[in-house]
Amino acid sequence: MMDKDYKNVKLQLETHFIGKRIYHYKRIPSTQQLAISFAETNISNENGTVILADEQYDGKGRGNKKWISPKGGLWMSIIIKPKIELNKINILSLIAAISVCEIINEISNLETRIKWPNDIVIDNKKIAGILIDSSISNNNIDYIVIGIGINIVVDTLKINLFLSSSDRLSQKVTSLQNEVKEICIDRYILLKQILERIEYYVFLVQNRTDYTKIIKLYKKLCNTLGKSIYVHGKDIKEFCAIAKDIDLDGGLVLKRENEIIEKIYCGEISIREIEKEK
Ligand code: BTN
């Protein structure tokens, strides 16, 4: 199932463990689902295994949403078995976002930002999304699967057709090549550099590097801090708050309208100022 181009990328990867095994499929339901089943079955569950697909027909987004994944995107999932304490698990979600954001910006010259927790946006239009699944037992992280979806040359009208009207309203979508006309984005380079950058940050986290450095990097790229936001989610009653800070454990610190400070680790937010602009 591995094709020549990806094999090339694999050979040129300057990594120690990420991408030593790359499975590339033309069309599957979801790389995330497959990576989780690989991780669970002991067959292809090595640390750093990557699953790629040209097209997914049952792509998974956060919050049980669909992720529309036609040809023209980078759809991949990476199995990581991090050697870190359980209470640092949220840092992994941040480093995935930092890596994708940094590499997109370096390759395209765009100034994409991270919308908490890990949407990559340009002018408030979503260009990439990250989904983290994990398996935990006895207070240890068995594995995490980092799922990354980047719209490179996808028809965003097509994506919108498949989104519910509320999703369409709450988050506009774009594609990398819509935003940068003058450079042709090579998805193998994008892939290679993202894998290398994620590995770099995983090592930093594992080596107990001062997490403040990582949080600082994240905060620099994050477009959410200081904004008035709506917090919503499947099991949460929607509320408004100000996004104050990112804590050392990766949580988003909020100040609610009643002045109470609280911290959230997951859920969806929308930025209120942007909503007013619509
Ligand atoms: C989000 O909702 O923003 C997260 C989207 C994550 C999509 C990627 S595409 C590759 C991997 N396989 C999936 O089914 N989902 C993730």
Side-chain angles (χ1 to χ4, degrees), residues 28-34 51-53 56 58-69 74-78 118-120 126 128-133 145-150 268:
I28 52 172
S30 154
T31 59
Q32 195 76 0
Q33 224 174 31
L34 192 60
I51 321 275
L52 287 155
Q56 303 182 118
D58 191 18
K60 312 285 179 203
R62 281 202 319 271
N64 280 333
K65 289 187 183 159
K66 281 185 181 161
W67 182 262
I68 310 300
S69 339
L74 181 58
W75 322 126
M76 70 163 155
S77 299
I78 312 164
N118 47 28
D119 286 349
I120 310 300
K126 183 160 167 174
I130 296 168
L131 173 66
I132 307 280
D133 284 297
V145 174
I146 303 177
I148 298 173
I150 305 177
E268 289 298 316

Side-chain angles (χ1 to χ4, degrees), residues 17-30:
F17 71 99
I18 291 187
K20 292 293 166 204
R21 262 171 194 269
I22 298 181
Y23 294 86
H24 173 218
Y25 299 86
K26 293 228 167 317
R27 189 169 185 271
I28 52 172
S30 154

Side-chain angles (χ1 to χ4, degrees), residues 18 67 79 82 91 98 116 121 132 142 155 213 217 224 273:
I18 291 187
W67 182 262
I79 301 171
I91 303 284
I98 295 171
W116 187 89
V121 296
I132 307 280
D142 303 324
D155 182 348
K213 277 188 197 145
L217 277 174
T224 312
E273 279 93 335

Side-chain angles (χ1 to χ4, degrees), residues 80-90 92 133-145:
I80 308 267
K81 298 182 171 176
K83 296 170 197 71
I84 58 165
E85 298 92 0
L86 181 56
N87 62 4
K88 299 291 180 311
I89 194 165
N90 291 301
L92 297 169
D133 284 297
S134 58
S135 163
I136 292 156
S137 54
N138 303 325
N139 254 345
N140 276 318
I141 307 170
D142 303 324
Y143 65 82
I144 71 157
V145 174

